[in-house]
Amino acid sequence: MVVRRQSKIRQAIYETVVSHPVHPTAEYVYEHLKPRHPSLSLGTVYRNLGILAEQGLIRKIGAQGDADRFDGNMEPHSHVQCRECGRLEDVFLSYDAQMDEKAQEVTGFQIKEHSVIFSGICPQCAAKEKTA
Amino acid sequence: MVVRRQSKIRQAIYETVVSHPVHPTAEYVYEHLKPRHPSLSLGTVYRNLGILAEQGLIRKIGAQGDADRFDGNMEPHSHVQCRECGRLEDVFLSYDAQMDEKAQEVTGFQIKEHSVIFSGICPQCAAKEKTA
DNA sequence: CTCGGTGCAAACGTTTTGCAGAGCA
DNA sequence: TGCTCTGCAAAACGTTTGCACCGAG
């Protein structure tokens, strides 16, 4: 597992994650690619998502919910998750490096980075609640 | 499942989470209580952790790793997680409510709160790395 | 030709759930 | 007594892994 070869499937998986701003799960990527790659197996999707994340080409998001979700946008940014429907979206706010310094002082850890997840209600679910 | 009764086991589970600042998993709580409550079952631990979280008495932490972890400290605070050993600790920094306002403007979500997770290397693992 | 990648299926660890019986109010 | 809670076991769910074959370099 040292020198990686180029595989069509891995490329396709990568492109799926990058071009789908919904922050897909492995299952989602699998379902998306299955029609054009009928022989694709779910294990391969998991393996490649892991490899891509390890190589720093995509990122695994630590969100609430059952399945891991992936993000193809590597610019530092945060996420919002809807409490009702689980929808996960990007939030572009400037990265506050001072927080890392403060946390380092307080904890004694060598802080590398931080991630922020906002939690709330998305516009669609807010509209539904008014109806109900 | 509407009116809750008081059960000794739920009380014991709650106290375990509150008094163990390691942010225990369900498994941890189970192992901790098993000696004094030999009939305890893991399913009951999961059920009660879910109930306690739903009631706002404890909090489920969205950290990296296999098993869910719980926190009995309900004051708003953040967490650091060690990349090496997975250790999870509290970080007390003042809550920045302005971030919620900004995120609300940017996303259109009704933001209720945000959580911050720092990632880095804990002092113990940093020491080990020097040795290696 | 070699070694990494893939498909398949079995296995794993975590969490949920259906059920019958126990226990709190 | 009525309804919740518990223990148990099975199963659901997401994810990982062993293996034999396939395919890129």
Side-chain angles (χ1 to χ4, degrees):
Chain A
M1 281 295 221
V2 181
V3 177
R4 303 241 89 101
R5 293 176 182 167
Q6 182 185 334
S7 94
K8 289 178 183 172
I9 284 298
R10 180 146 63 233
Q11 183 65 21
I13 289 170
Y14 174 68
E15 283 167 8
T16 302
V17 174
V18 171
S19 64
H20 286 67
V22 296
H23 307 91
T25 60
E27 186 72 30
Y28 179 100
V29 173
Y30 174 73
E31 295 297 344
H32 179 74
L33 293 175
K34 191 68 176 172
R36 291 179 208 208
H37 303 266
S39 73
L40 178 63
S41 108
L42 192 51
T44 297
V45 175
Y46 277 105
R47 252 188 305 238
N48 281 297
L49 287 171
I51 288 170
L52 291 166
E54 194 180 279
Q55 296 182 322
L57 293 169
I58 65 174
R59 178 195 295 259
K60 190 188 280 189
I61 305 173
Q64 295 275 74
D66 339 298
D68 287 345
R69 303 182 70 156
F70 295 85
D71 190 344
N73 184 343
M74 294 305 285
E75 291 173 50
H77 64 279
S78 308
H79 296 100
V80 219
Q81 187 163 31
C82 178
R83 289 183 178 183
E84 297 295 325
C85 66
R87 178 198 308 267
L88 193 62
E89 292 190 11
D90 292 318
V91 186
F92 295 96
L93 294 177
S94 57
Y95 187 87
D96 183 358
Q98 283 190 36
M99 286 179 65
D100 292 352
E101 292 171 27
K102 284 185 194 162
Q104 184 145 332
E105 286 172 26
V106 174
T107 63
F109 278 53
Q110 260 179 52
I111 307 292
K112 303 285 188 181
E113 57 162 21
H114 67 259
S115 72
V116 182
I117 297 199
F118 294 91
S119 164
I121 313 288
C122 73
Q124 289 83 341
C125 288
K128 273 184 211 154
E129 281 187 7
K130 277 185 187 165
T131 309
Chain B
M1 281 292 222
V2 180
V3 177
R4 302 242 90 99
R5 290 175 182 167
Q6 183 186 335
S7 94
K8 288 178 184 175
I9 283 297
R10 179 145 63 233
Q11 183 65 19
I13 290 170
Y14 173 68
E15 283 167 8
T16 302
V17 175
V18 170
S19 64
H20 286 66
V22 297
H23 307 92
T25 60
E27 186 71 31
Y28 179 100
V29 173
Y30 175 73
E31 294 297 342
H32 179 74
L33 293 176
K34 190 69 177 173
R36 289 177 209 210
H37 304 267
S39 72
L40 177 62
S41 107
L42 193 50
T44 298
V45 175
Y46 276 104
R47 253 186 305 237
N48 281 297
L49 288 171
I51 290 169
L52 291 167
E54 193 181 280
Q55 295 181 325
L57 293 169
I58 66 175
R59 179 195 294 259
K60 190 188 283 191
I61 304 172
Q64 295 276 73
D66 338 297
D68 286 345
R69 303 182 69 157
F70 295 85
D71 189 345
N73 183 343
M74 294 306 285
E75 292 173 49
H77 65 281
S78 309
H79 295 100
V80 218
Q81 188 163 30
C82 178
R83 290 182 177 184
E84 297 295 326
C85 66
R87 179 198 307 268
L88 194 61
E89 292 191 9
D90 292 319
V91 186
F92 295 97
L93 295 178
S94 57
Y95 187 87
D96 182 359
Q98 283 189 37
M99 286 179 64
D100 292 353
E101 292 172 26
K102 284 185 194 164
Q104 184 145 334
E105 287 172 26
V106 174
T107 63
F109 278 54
Q110 262 178 51
I111 306 292
K112 302 286 188 181
E113 59 163 18
H114 67 260
S115 73
V116 181
I117 297 199
F118 294 91
S119 164
I121 313 288
C122 73
Q124 290 84 340
C125 287
K128 272 184 211 157
E129 283 188 6
K130 279 185 187 167
T131 309

